[in-house]
Amino acid sequence: MITPETKIRMGMVGGGPDAFIGQVHRCVAAMDGQIELVCGAFCSDPARSESFGHSLGLEPERCYPDFQTMIAREAALPPERRMLFVAIVTPNHMHFAIAECALKAGFHVLSEKPATVSLEQACALRDRVRASGLKYCLTHNYTGYPMVRQARDLVASGELGAIRKIVVEYPQGWLASMVEQTGQKQAGWRTDPTRAGSSNCMGDIGTHAENLAEHISGLRLKELAADLSRFGEGRTLDDDGNVLLRFEGGAKGVLHASQISTGEENDLNIRLYGEKGGLQWKQQEPNTLIVHRLGQPSQIYRSGQDYLSPAASSMCRLPAGHTEGYLGAFANIYRSFAADLRRVLSGDAGSESSADYPGIEDGVRGLAFIEACVKSSQSNAAWTPLQG
Amino acid sequence: MITPETKIRMGMVGGGPDAFIGQVHRCVAAMDGQIELVCGAFCSDPARSESFGHSLGLEPERCYPDFQTMIAREAALPPERRMLFVAIVTPNHMHFAIAECALKAGFHVLSEKPATVSLEQACALRDRVRASGLKYCLTHNYTGYPMVRQARDLVASGELGAIRKIVVEYPQGWLASMVEQTGQKQAGWRTDPTRAGSSNCMGDIGTHAENLAEHISGLRLKELAADLSRFGEGRTLDDDGNVLLRFEGGAKGVLHASQISTGEENDLNIRLYGEKGGLQWKQQEPNTLIVHRLGQPSQIYRSGQDYLSPAASSMCRLPAGHTEGYLGAFANIYRSFAADLRRVLSGDAGSESSADYPGIEDGVRGLAFIEACVKSSQSNAAWTPLQG
Amino acid sequence: MITPETKIRMGMVGGGPDAFIGQVHRCVAAMDGQIELVCGAFCSDPARSESFGHSLGLEPERCYPDFQTMIAREAALPPERRMLFVAIVTPNHMHFAIAECALKAGFHVLSEKPATVSLEQACALRDRVRASGLKYCLTHNYTGYPMVRQARDLVASGELGAIRKIVVEYPQGWLASMVEQTGQKQAGWRTDPTRAGSSNCMGDIGTHAENLAEHISGLRLKELAADLSRFGEGRTLDDDGNVLLRFEGGAKGVLHASQISTGEENDLNIRLYGEKGGLQWKQQEPNTLIVHRLGQPSQIYRSGQDYLSPAASSMCRLPAGHTEGYLGAFANIYRSFAADLRRVLSGDAGSESSADYPGIEDGVRGLAFIEACVKSSQSNAAWTPLQG
Amino acid sequence: MITPETKIRMGMVGGGPDAFIGQVHRCVAAMDGQIELVCGAFCSDPARSESFGHSLGLEPERCYPDFQTMIAREAALPPERRMLFVAIVTPNHMHFAIAECALKAGFHVLSEKPATVSLEQACALRDRVRASGLKYCLTHNYTGYPMVRQARDLVASGELGAIRKIVVEYPQGWLASMVEQTGQKQAGWRTDPTRAGSSNCMGDIGTHAENLAEHISGLRLKELAADLSRFGEGRTLDDDGNVLLRFEGGAKGVLHASQISTGEENDLNIRLYGEKGGLQWKQQEPNTLIVHRLGQPSQIYRSGQDYLSPAASSMCRLPAGHTEGYLGAFANIYRSFAADLRRVLSGDAGSESSADYPGIEDGVRGLAFIEACVKSSQSNAAWTPLQG
């Protein structure tokens, strides 16, 4: 019988000792006490994978040498013991194969973004997910911030009028120098087309910006004109890009993302302007949402306050003034996914659209965006429609 | 044998269904995967306590009706099963009795602040802790922020010169109206002298401010002149206070705290000024530390950056630009405490001073501060030395 | 006949070549094209005074060696030529004598603050002003900011409810080191009791803070407890001070001002909290006023916007987003004074209370504040009522 | 003989009673006491022009009905009386004819931007200026801010390394609704192609952004891809635009400007990123310049501080912490122009490049930018080189 206290059992692929994002996933999965890590295939080296899994408190026999073994062996365990979902936190190029394998074996999937390394793969994965009837969660974690939800709800309410313009930006500076030549692992794979896919900057952070813009505005990006650059000498993938945007319905916008903006940390920001109002959210000050209304003083919406929308309120973990951080927002994605899996366990399959977390459709949009950027840039920033 | 993967077993007293801070403690204890909640006495109503514990996944027989029972029964369990420490998250008036009982039974203690409701109790507790050889952690959680540690390390380095002035403030607005008359639980006990002790505002948040000032500056507060107020009609405890400060060695300062500062959320801020430099930290923008140096542009220190002190770096959970929040900082306290308990389990008892988290000495200082404030205010803000 | 284009003729005492504030006064007097500098006694050295006046385009015979000569000679000129008012921009100790002399000769007076160097002098000057029927303006220039007026109007409207608490602060760092020993003129006289009066820090900037608090709140400070300090070695006057405040009607507050807060520039800030709302204004971001209202998102009032009060609107010189600065705000004081003098010239004497700029009553309050601070501090921060 | 106290005599064309910018020009011209308004042709209605000039204190015979008359009559006055330069503050379409006429008559010219309404005109005007040997100042007033100069000097010093990316933006919201239909004068002519030229948004504010980017970076914009929009129903000129930028030497960038960004005031911002550092300046917080340096804490440069470059220091009017505003920055342009005219009067003609204020070359660049934007947008954002 499924009860509130039943833990949702998670297996992890990737996320070994030096992987920043794997540690984040484990931490946020644990925060709400609803998810239990029961197995993993953490590293390509089987011995390291096992010793690392052991250090996390896993049983030795559930520290697997690779994802295929993990999925096969877990599938063979009795239902009440085996993992319920696989968390994929590897470099991009492995996402598709792992997700496909997991779905085939009947496991739900939670995956780092981008969902795959090509739009074709993403569409194929969408088909697999739909056919499987299983759940798929893509960790566009910034949508887990309460004030992002508040922004989305404000736009949806019509209070800002029809949206005319969106400015979304994501400057970072961590690749201003050739960090990938110093042995830094993440820099290594992100700048490597065999592991990152056709784009570095747009694939890593441009997609976050695109996702945020579509998520908050409720608009679909129709076409774009992108000028991608490789400032780091000898790089084969983009480390910077500037993009003109046109949305269905007539809104326009700008998206720029960068890894060579020296001194910037992780400065994801969005501004939307409608006929009657506007809003601004900055990821580095995530508890604040500035709301503009024609002819009135601008307002400072803050997380934890009573006036928030029900959905935004439910994402606040703390009273106002106690800063919600990256981990709490990320954990909201996991919490929503866990709640959905719990519904499945209770026999309520739900629908794709009812899920309150990013899914495979976001993944398809992300790859459509990445490929349009790359294609447009190869054509000297010609307008390029989003496929998929 | 103690290994890195051995979980530190925690029992909790207080923190039932409606208690904000209990949920925080459980969440942050879980974040690093090193602590396991194994038992609790969550509510004064035994049935509720049990059903709540059950909803957290505890075994029914370890959901206890009260702390005495919990401590007695756990003490009777075999060492490898029983809890290792008690987390006390009740209203203030119960802290002392629970801590005393736990220590007597050989359990380490982690407690919400203030440590007790009187300085006399706090000194008594200090004696008990010292005599027991057990560990005691007081959750002055704001010291868990990396940039607070950076601030402390900068002052200690001497780069700012001798500290001359400290301005520390903690305005909140949640008691601007008579919330305690609406059934809000926390407002109820905090404004009730039988549960909160001799002070509401100074006991709850003034102590955080005092602790932060002493923690960062490394200075001891010598005497103060306090003007406490009760703006809410009919309140018997202070809901606001303004305090002049004098530190040992000649530094001076101001501390003001308030619960009736309409519109403020949780605006704990500190500024320190030395002969050669100064600094500023704001709890609501916790990842930033502004550092002033005579004749130079002020600097923006940010969490996650390479230039931080080793201790501050070790408290960063995320790369720069990914906001560390309240929960992550709070979890740092738990992580340090868990690391210390792990040392104990390994046979390394350590010393009080080596512990990298707030302890009973901070608790004594806090009560000394509260009592000095109350006494000074009763004497029309006469200068009053801190005892203890 | 007085017409809008008639220039208001100004004579200046003080403000020679190296005097920052004299240059400010000339600049802001010129900004609205309504005031003309016609004469001056700029320096104690007659030759320098004359050559400096000449460089400003004054006629040589109206560059006077001292204020007595200036006032006497100007009084002897025909009415349509002679100056209409004297602007006093000397060190503090000379304010009274010059103002008294000017009033006696029938000239209106505009003076730098503090009005005098003692409360006794200030009261005497008040008597002189009242008896003379002439106009007196004290340049508490920060009241010239539109958003300060907006703040005052919001409080007066009752929208924030009865004010309970005021926090006003004025940290500077320019005297963190012994600048007065380097020949810096302003540091020289401000730290010299023979020229500055009984207080340096409180006289210079503490009074601005006090004035701002009374101006915005409409409340009168009743008593205070002050702890003044001299951190600079060998200084005889205060360079820092922390003050507890009690206002008539029950509001309380804190005022702290400092010249040794290393790294601070001119950080005058005020926060007021009422039963139904609150507000915050920061001099270094003067075009913004944050307004809190119970249970609602805080609002960002901005200069130049249509929703401002009529009085605040009239003080805006620029459309929203074009920053009003220190000079524009200062010029608003001059403009109001000029408008009042124009009314006098037109035969409408007006009343003290109708004047829309700070006057001798503010001067008396300022000296009452300074003397109460000094006296309280000498009594170890004993509560001291404001006289006058 | 020219002495420091000789006033520089100014005549004004445009800037009648309701014109915001005319009032600004008169105010800032007066601020330094070096310029005297001696004549004007303020309005197209001669009687109104005269009465308005009279209200400014001008002699009736020097209040002219139109610019041709003014220039002719002033030229006929004796040299020591006649105006020295003409300030042009009319709508855009008149700039060229007035400037041409003034130059022909031997008068120096100061003009609002854009210099003309077409690139062809701008080039022609450049020829006229060069041939005349007279001075021409274009009031790109934002270059008058000290921190803009500091930014330029930092880039020029090489401390930031070669510039790779520039993000410059100028959102406003004042045309979010159809203000031009309410009789608002400025909205009227700016949205009218017969008076504004081929562009509204790009001509008015896009050029400021372009000028700022080139001014600070020292780079020349080579080509752009622009997507201009008309969101206001029925508008014939752009009210919004997003532009991809490519600079000579390989730097790239984004420029976006808007008048329909509801809630924005005048939010001109620029960020530059070089190989070794970066910087950020925001017009609405003009006294602050954020400077990034690889691996170090970012720095907060502030106006009025001793560490500024000599040129930036010379543009500060106030000590640190006393906010320099829009008027002071604007007045710096006038002051530099007046200083240059004074050199001319002294017989030192100087060279175009030595002038420390924006000139006709900036004007040509501005029109090249506007025309490239319009042309690119008409070709669906095709890359378009800047001519001129």
Side-chain angles (χ1 to χ4, degrees):
Chain A
M1 198 194 70
I2 298 314
T3 63
E5 58 275 18
T6 305
K7 301 272 185 182
I8 304 296
R9 294 179 304 278
M10 167 170 84
M12 178 171 277
V13 184
D18 301 334
F20 153 62
I21 205 68
Q23 168 58 18
V24 165
H25 278 253
R26 287 187 296 271
C27 175
V28 304
M31 279 174 73
D32 288 298
Q34 307 202 354
I35 294 170
E36 187 182 11
L37 178 69
V38 296
C39 64
F42 302 104
C43 314
S44 43
D45 172 345
R48 267 188 103 213
S49 188
E50 182 175 330
S51 79
F52 182 66
H54 184 61
S55 79
L56 299 174
L58 296 189
E59 302 166 25
E61 64 274 18
R62 295 179 85 177
C63 303
Y64 300 103
D66 52 59
F67 74 88
Q68 294 93 337
T69 309
M70 174 171 120
I71 288 168
R73 298 241 187 106
E74 288 288 318
L77 291 176
E80 71 278 8
R81 286 205 67 211
R82 71 174 168 237
M83 69 178 177
L84 253 163
F85 77 96
V86 177
I88 306 174
V89 297
T90 63
N92 304 346
H93 66 302
M94 298 177 64
H95 292 178
F96 177 75
I98 302 167
E100 186 183 37
C101 179
L103 292 168
K104 209 173 285 180
F107 294 109
H108 305 283
V109 170
L110 175 149
S111 174
E112 260 300 322
K113 31 63 50 190
T116 64
V117 287
S118 73
L119 176 58
E120 188 186 355
Q121 273 187 352
C123 291
L125 186 55
R126 176 171 57 187
D127 294 343
R128 303 273 195 294
V129 170
R130 288 182 176 166
S132 71
L134 294 162
K135 299 294 182 184
Y136 178 92
C137 174
L138 191 71
T139 52
H140 269 301
N141 54 295
Y142 297 116
T143 63
Y145 273 110
M147 302 320 284
V148 168
R149 179 59 57 96
Q150 180 66 36
R152 174 182 166 97
D153 289 349
L154 270 170
V155 173
S157 76
E159 290 181 43
L160 309 183
I163 298 302
R164 289 167 159 179
K165 180 162 190 174
I166 300 174
V167 178
V168 62
E169 57 189 34
Y170 204 149
Q172 297 180 330
W174 69 297
L175 295 180
S177 50
M178 301 299 285
V179 185
E180 66 268 41
Q181 298 174 350
T182 66
Q184 212 259 34
K185 274 187 107 163
Q186 198 190 165
W189 74 257
R190 288 213 180 273
T191 57
D192 173 3
T194 67
R195 289 177 286 170
S198 61
S199 166
N200 164 21
C201 179
M202 286 298 147
D204 183 17
I205 59 177
T207 43
H208 271 307
E210 167 270 327
N211 184 260
L212 194 66
E214 293 201 341
H215 178 76
I216 292 180
S217 71
L219 299 176
R220 281 171 70 90
L221 185 53
K222 192 176 69 180
E223 58 178 347
L224 55 78
D227 191 23
L228 308 188
S229 301
R230 301 185 300 260
F231 284 105
E233 206 179 325
R235 281 185 186 147
T236 51
L237 295 181
D238 55 302
D239 52 20
D240 184 87
N242 304 317
V243 190
L244 304 179
L245 307 177
R246 289 176 183 163
F247 292 86
E248 291 176 1
K252 296 199 176 177
V254 178
L255 181 154
H256 55 92
S258 178
Q259 296 160 324
I260 55 85
S261 292
T262 313
E264 299 294 356
E265 297 178 341
N266 196 45
D267 208 16
L268 173 62
N269 302 313
I270 188 163
R271 288 167 280 179
L272 284 93
Y273 303 105
E275 294 179 355
K276 298 188 289 181
L279 56 79
Q280 173 169 359
W281 182 77
K282 301 184 166 205
Q283 188 269 148
Q284 295 186 171
E285 301 166 22
N287 301 281
T288 294
L289 176 72
I290 303 295
V291 179
H292 307 294
R293 297 172 194 277
L294 259 184
Q296 295 176 37
S298 295
Q299 294 172 300
I300 307 170
Y301 280 65
R302 293 271 300 164
S303 64
Q305 290 283 8
D306 289 342
Y307 49 68
L308 299 184
S309 71
S313 281
S314 75
M315 296 165 81
C316 296
R317 296 168 169 274
L318 298 164
H322 300 72
T323 58
E324 309 271 346
Y326 178 90
L327 296 173
F330 209 131
N332 284 339
I333 305 290
Y334 263 89
R335 188 168 64 183
S336 290
F337 187 56
D340 208 27
L341 294 191
R342 210 178 286 288
R343 279 195 291 276
V344 171
L345 292 175
S346 310
D348 169 11
S351 62
E352 187 182 333
S353 62
S354 74
D356 198 20
Y357 50 85
I360 186 60
E361 190 55 42
D362 297 81
V364 171
R365 294 296 296 165
L367 269 300
F369 168 77
I370 295 169
E371 296 206 350
C373 283
V374 171
K375 190 172 159 196
S376 170
S377 192
Q378 286 165 348
S379 313
N380 200 22
W383 285 104
T384 305
L386 268 73
Q387 307 290 347
Chain B
M1 198 193 70
I2 297 315
T3 65
E5 56 274 46
T6 305
K7 302 272 184 183
I8 303 294
R9 294 179 304 279
M10 168 170 83
M12 178 172 277
V13 183
D18 302 334
F20 154 63
I21 205 68
Q23 168 58 18
V24 166
H25 278 254
R26 286 187 297 270
C27 175
V28 304
M31 279 174 72
D32 287 298
Q34 306 203 354
I35 294 170
E36 187 182 11
L37 179 69
V38 295
C39 64
F42 301 103
C43 315
S44 42
D45 172 345
R48 267 188 101 211
S49 188
E50 184 176 327
S51 79
F52 183 66
H54 183 60
S55 78
L56 298 174
L58 296 188
E59 302 165 25
E61 64 274 17
R62 296 178 85 174
C63 303
Y64 300 102
D66 53 58
F67 75 86
Q68 295 93 337
T69 308
M70 173 171 121
I71 288 168
R73 297 242 187 105
E74 289 288 319
L77 290 176
E80 71 279 8
R81 285 205 67 212
R82 71 175 168 234
M83 68 177 177
L84 254 163
F85 76 95
V86 177
I88 305 175
V89 297
T90 63
N92 304 345
H93 66 303
M94 299 176 63
H95 292 179
F96 177 73
I98 302 167
E100 187 184 36
C101 178
L103 292 168
K104 208 174 285 180
F107 295 109
H108 306 283
V109 170
L110 175 148
S111 173
E112 260 300 322
K113 31 62 52 190
T116 64
V117 288
S118 73
L119 175 58
E120 189 185 356
Q121 273 188 352
C123 292
L125 185 56
R126 175 170 58 186
D127 293 344
R128 303 272 195 295
V129 170
R130 290 182 176 167
S132 71
L134 294 161
K135 299 296 182 182
Y136 178 92
C137 173
L138 190 71
T139 52
H140 269 302
N141 53 295
Y142 297 116
T143 63
Y145 273 110
M147 303 318 286
V148 168
R149 179 59 58 95
Q150 181 66 35
R152 175 182 165 97
D153 289 350
L154 270 170
V155 173
S157 76
E159 291 181 43
L160 309 183
I163 298 301
R164 289 166 159 180
K165 180 161 191 175
I166 300 174
V167 178
V168 62
E169 56 190 35
Y170 204 149
Q172 297 181 330
W174 69 298
L175 294 180
S177 50
M178 301 299 284
V179 185
E180 66 267 41
Q181 297 174 351
T182 67
Q184 213 257 35
K185 273 187 107 165
Q186 197 190 165
W189 74 257
R190 288 214 180 273
T191 58
D192 172 5
T194 66
R195 288 177 288 171
S198 62
S199 166
N200 164 22
C201 179
M202 286 298 147
D204 182 17
I205 58 177
T207 43
H208 271 306
E210 167 269 329
N211 184 261
L212 193 66
E214 294 200 341
H215 177 77
I216 292 180
S217 71
L219 298 176
R220 282 171 68 90
L221 185 52
K222 192 176 68 180
E223 57 178 348
L224 56 77
D227 191 23
L228 308 187
S229 301
R230 300 184 301 259
F231 285 105
E233 207 180 325
R235 282 186 186 146
T236 50
L237 295 181
D238 55 301
D239 50 22
D240 185 87
N242 304 317
V243 190
L244 304 178
L245 308 176
R246 289 176 182 162
F247 293 85
E248 291 177 1
K252 296 198 176 177
V254 178
L255 181 155
H256 54 92
S258 178
Q259 296 159 324
I260 55 85
S261 292
T262 312
E264 300 294 357
E265 296 178 342
N266 196 46
D267 208 17
L268 173 62
N269 302 312
I270 189 164
R271 287 168 281 180
L272 284 93
Y273 304 104
E275 293 179 355
K276 297 188 290 181
L279 56 80
Q280 173 169 357
W281 182 76
K282 300 185 167 206
Q283 190 269 149
Q284 295 186 172
E285 301 167 23
N287 300 283
T288 294
L289 176 72
I290 303 295
V291 179
H292 308 294
R293 297 172 194 276
L294 258 183
Q296 295 176 37
S298 295
Q299 295 172 300
I300 307 170
Y301 280 65
R302 294 272 300 165
S303 64
Q305 291 283 7
D306 289 343
Y307 49 70
L308 299 185
S309 71
S313 281
S314 75
M315 297 165 82
C316 296
R317 297 169 167 273
L318 297 164
H322 300 71
T323 58
E324 309 271 347
Y326 179 90
L327 296 173
F330 209 130
N332 284 339
I333 305 291
Y334 264 87
R335 188 167 64 183
S336 290
F337 187 55
D340 208 28
L341 294 191
R342 211 177 285 288
R343 280 195 291 276
V344 171
L345 292 175
S346 310
D348 170 11
S351 62
E352 188 183 332
S353 62
S354 74
D356 197 21
Y357 51 85
I360 186 59
E361 190 55 42
D362 297 80
V364 170
R365 294 298 295 163
L367 270 299
F369 168 77
I370 295 169
E371 295 207 350
C373 283
V374 171
K375 190 171 159 196
S376 169
S377 191
Q378 285 166 350
S379 313
N380 199 24
W383 285 103
T384 305
L386 268 73
Q387 307 292 347
Chain C
M1 199 193 68
I2 297 314
T3 64
E5 58 275 20
T6 306
K7 302 272 185 183
I8 303 295
R9 294 178 304 278
M10 168 170 81
M12 179 171 277
V13 183
D18 302 334
F20 152 64
I21 205 67
Q23 168 58 18
V24 165
H25 278 253
R26 288 187 295 271
C27 175
V28 304
M31 278 174 72
D32 287 299
Q34 306 202 354
I35 294 170
E36 187 181 12
L37 179 68
V38 296
C39 64
F42 303 102
C43 315
S44 43
D45 172 346
R48 267 188 102 212
S49 187
E50 182 175 328
S51 81
F52 182 67
H54 183 60
S55 79
L56 298 175
L58 296 189
E59 301 166 26
E61 65 275 17
R62 296 179 85 175
C63 302
Y64 300 103
D66 54 58
F67 75 86
Q68 295 91 339
T69 309
M70 174 171 120
I71 288 167
R73 296 244 188 103
E74 288 289 317
L77 291 175
E80 71 280 7
R81 285 206 67 212
R82 70 174 168 234
M83 68 177 177
L84 253 163
F85 76 96
V86 178
I88 306 175
V89 297
T90 63
N92 303 346
H93 67 301
M94 299 177 62
H95 292 178
F96 178 74
I98 302 166
E100 186 184 37
C101 178
L103 291 167
K104 208 174 285 180
F107 295 109
H108 306 283
V109 171
L110 174 148
S111 173
E112 260 300 323
K113 31 62 50 190
T116 65
V117 288
S118 73
L119 176 58
E120 188 185 355
Q121 272 187 354
C123 291
L125 185 54
R126 176 170 58 187
D127 293 344
R128 304 275 196 293
V129 170
R130 288 182 177 168
S132 72
L134 294 162
K135 299 294 181 183
Y136 177 93
C137 173
L138 191 72
T139 52
H140 269 302
N141 53 294
Y142 298 115
T143 63
Y145 273 109
M147 303 319 285
V148 168
R149 179 58 58 95
Q150 180 67 35
R152 176 183 165 97
D153 289 349
L154 269 170
V155 173
S157 76
E159 291 181 43
L160 309 184
I163 298 301
R164 289 167 158 179
K165 180 160 190 175
I166 300 173
V167 178
V168 62
E169 57 189 35
Y170 204 148
Q172 297 181 330
W174 70 297
L175 294 180
S177 51
M178 301 299 284
V179 186
E180 66 267 41
Q181 297 174 351
T182 67
Q184 212 258 35
K185 273 188 109 165
Q186 198 191 163
W189 74 257
R190 288 215 180 272
T191 57
D192 173 4
T194 67
R195 289 177 285 171
S198 61
S199 166
N200 165 22
C201 178
M202 286 297 148
D204 182 16
I205 58 176
T207 43
H208 272 306
E210 167 270 327
N211 184 261
L212 193 66
E214 293 201 339
H215 177 75
I216 292 180
S217 71
L219 298 176
R220 282 171 68 91
L221 185 52
K222 192 177 68 180
E223 58 179 347
L224 56 78
D227 190 23
L228 309 187
S229 301
R230 301 184 301 259
F231 285 105
E233 206 180 327
R235 281 184 186 147
T236 51
L237 295 181
D238 55 301
D239 51 21
D240 184 87
N242 304 317
V243 189
L244 304 178
L245 308 177
R246 289 177 182 162
F247 292 86
E248 292 177 0
K252 296 198 175 177
V254 178
L255 181 155
H256 55 93
S258 178
Q259 296 159 325
I260 55 85
S261 293
T262 312
E264 299 294 356
E265 296 178 341
N266 197 46
D267 207 17
L268 173 61
N269 301 312
I270 189 164
R271 287 168 280 180
L272 285 93
Y273 304 104
E275 294 179 354
K276 297 188 290 182
L279 56 80
Q280 172 168 358
W281 181 76
K282 299 184 167 206
Q283 190 268 149
Q284 295 186 172
E285 301 166 22
N287 301 281
T288 294
L289 176 71
I290 303 295
V291 179
H292 307 295
R293 298 171 194 276
L294 258 183
Q296 295 176 36
S298 295
Q299 295 172 300
I300 308 170
Y301 280 66
R302 293 272 300 166
S303 64
Q305 291 284 6
D306 289 343
Y307 49 69
L308 299 184
S309 71
S313 281
S314 75
M315 296 165 82
C316 296
R317 297 170 167 272
L318 297 164
H322 299 71
T323 59
E324 309 271 346
Y326 178 91
L327 296 173
F330 209 130
N332 283 339
I333 305 289
Y334 263 89
R335 188 168 64 183
S336 290
F337 187 56
D340 207 28
L341 294 191
R342 210 177 287 287
R343 279 195 291 276
V344 171
L345 292 175
S346 310
D348 168 12
S351 62
E352 187 183 332
S353 62
S354 74
D356 197 21
Y357 51 83
I360 186 59
E361 189 55 41
D362 297 80
V364 171
R365 294 297 295 164
L367 269 299
F369 168 78
I370 295 169
E371 296 207 349
C373 284
V374 171
K375 191 172 159 197
S376 170
S377 191
Q378 286 166 348
S379 313
N380 199 24
W383 286 104
T384 305
L386 269 74
Q387 308 290 347
Chain D
M1 199 192 68
I2 298 314
T3 64
E5 58 276 16
T6 305
K7 302 272 186 182
I8 303 296
R9 293 178 303 278
M10 167 170 84
M12 178 171 277
V13 184
D18 302 333
F20 153 64
I21 205 68
Q23 169 57 19
V24 166
H25 278 254
R26 288 187 296 271
C27 175
V28 305
M31 279 174 72
D32 287 299
Q34 305 202 355
I35 294 170
E36 187 182 12
L37 179 69
V38 295
C39 64
F42 302 103
C43 315
S44 43
D45 172 345
R48 266 187 103 213
S49 187
E50 182 174 331
S51 80
F52 182 67
H54 184 60
S55 79
L56 299 174
L58 296 188
E59 301 166 26
E61 65 275 16
R62 295 180 86 175
C63 303
Y64 300 103
D66 53 59
F67 76 87
Q68 295 92 337
T69 309
M70 174 171 121
I71 289 168
R73 298 242 187 105
E74 287 289 318
L77 291 176
E80 71 280 6
R81 285 207 65 214
R82 70 175 169 235
M83 68 177 177
L84 254 163
F85 77 95
V86 178
I88 305 175
V89 297
T90 62
N92 303 347
H93 66 303
M94 299 176 64
H95 292 178
F96 178 73
I98 302 168
E100 186 184 38
C101 178
L103 292 167
K104 208 173 285 180
F107 294 110
H108 306 283
V109 170
L110 174 149
S111 174
E112 260 300 322
K113 32 64 47 190
T116 65
V117 287
S118 73
L119 176 58
E120 188 185 356
Q121 272 187 353
C123 291
L125 186 54
R126 177 171 57 187
D127 293 344
R128 304 274 196 294
V129 170
R130 289 181 176 168
S132 72
L134 294 162
K135 299 294 181 184
Y136 177 91
C137 174
L138 191 70
T139 52
H140 269 301
N141 54 295
Y142 297 116
T143 63
Y145 274 109
M147 303 319 285
V148 168
R149 179 58 58 95
Q150 181 66 35
R152 176 184 166 95
D153 290 349
L154 270 170
V155 173
S157 76
E159 291 181 43
L160 309 184
I163 298 302
R164 290 166 158 180
K165 180 160 190 176
I166 300 173
V167 178
V168 63
E169 57 189 34
Y170 203 149
Q172 297 181 329
W174 68 298
L175 294 180
S177 51
M178 301 298 285
V179 186
E180 66 267 42
Q181 297 174 351
T182 66
Q184 212 258 35
K185 273 188 108 163
Q186 199 191 163
W189 75 257
R190 288 215 180 271
T191 58
D192 172 4
T194 67
R195 288 176 288 171
S198 61
S199 167
N200 164 22
C201 179
M202 286 297 147
D204 182 17
I205 59 177
T207 43
H208 271 307
E210 166 270 328
N211 184 259
L212 194 67
E214 293 201 340
H215 177 76
I216 292 179
S217 71
L219 299 176
R220 281 171 69 90
L221 185 52
K222 193 176 67 179
E223 57 179 347
L224 56 77
D227 190 23
L228 308 187
S229 301
R230 301 184 300 260
F231 285 104
E233 206 180 325
R235 281 184 186 147
T236 51
L237 295 181
D238 56 301
D239 51 21
D240 184 86
N242 304 317
V243 190
L244 304 178
L245 308 176
R246 290 177 182 163
F247 293 86
E248 292 176 1
K252 296 200 176 176
V254 177
L255 180 154
H256 55 93
S258 178
Q259 296 160 325
I260 55 85
S261 293
T262 313
E264 300 293 356
E265 296 178 341
N266 196 47
D267 207 17
L268 174 62
N269 302 312
I270 188 164
R271 287 167 282 179
L272 284 93
Y273 304 104
E275 294 179 355
K276 297 188 289 181
L279 56 78
Q280 173 169 358
W281 182 76
K282 300 184 166 204
Q283 189 268 148
Q284 296 186 172
E285 301 166 23
N287 300 281
T288 294
L289 176 72
I290 303 294
V291 180
H292 308 294
R293 297 172 194 276
L294 259 184
Q296 294 177 37
S298 295
Q299 295 172 301
I300 307 170
Y301 279 66
R302 293 272 299 165
S303 64
Q305 291 283 6
D306 289 344
Y307 50 68
L308 299 185
S309 70
S313 281
S314 75
M315 296 164 82
C316 296
R317 297 169 168 272
L318 297 163
H322 299 72
T323 58
E324 309 271 347
Y326 177 91
L327 296 173
F330 209 130
N332 284 340
I333 305 289
Y334 263 90
R335 188 168 65 183
S336 289
F337 187 57
D340 207 29
L341 295 190
R342 209 178 288 287
R343 279 195 292 275
V344 171
L345 292 175
S346 310
D348 168 11
S351 61
E352 187 182 333
S353 62
S354 74
D356 197 20
Y357 50 85
I360 186 59
E361 191 55 41
D362 297 81
V364 171
R365 295 295 297 162
L367 269 301
F369 168 77
I370 296 169
E371 296 207 348
C373 284
V374 171
K375 190 171 159 197
S376 170
S377 191
Q378 285 165 350
S379 313
N380 199 25
W383 285 103
T384 305
L386 269 74
Q387 307 290 348

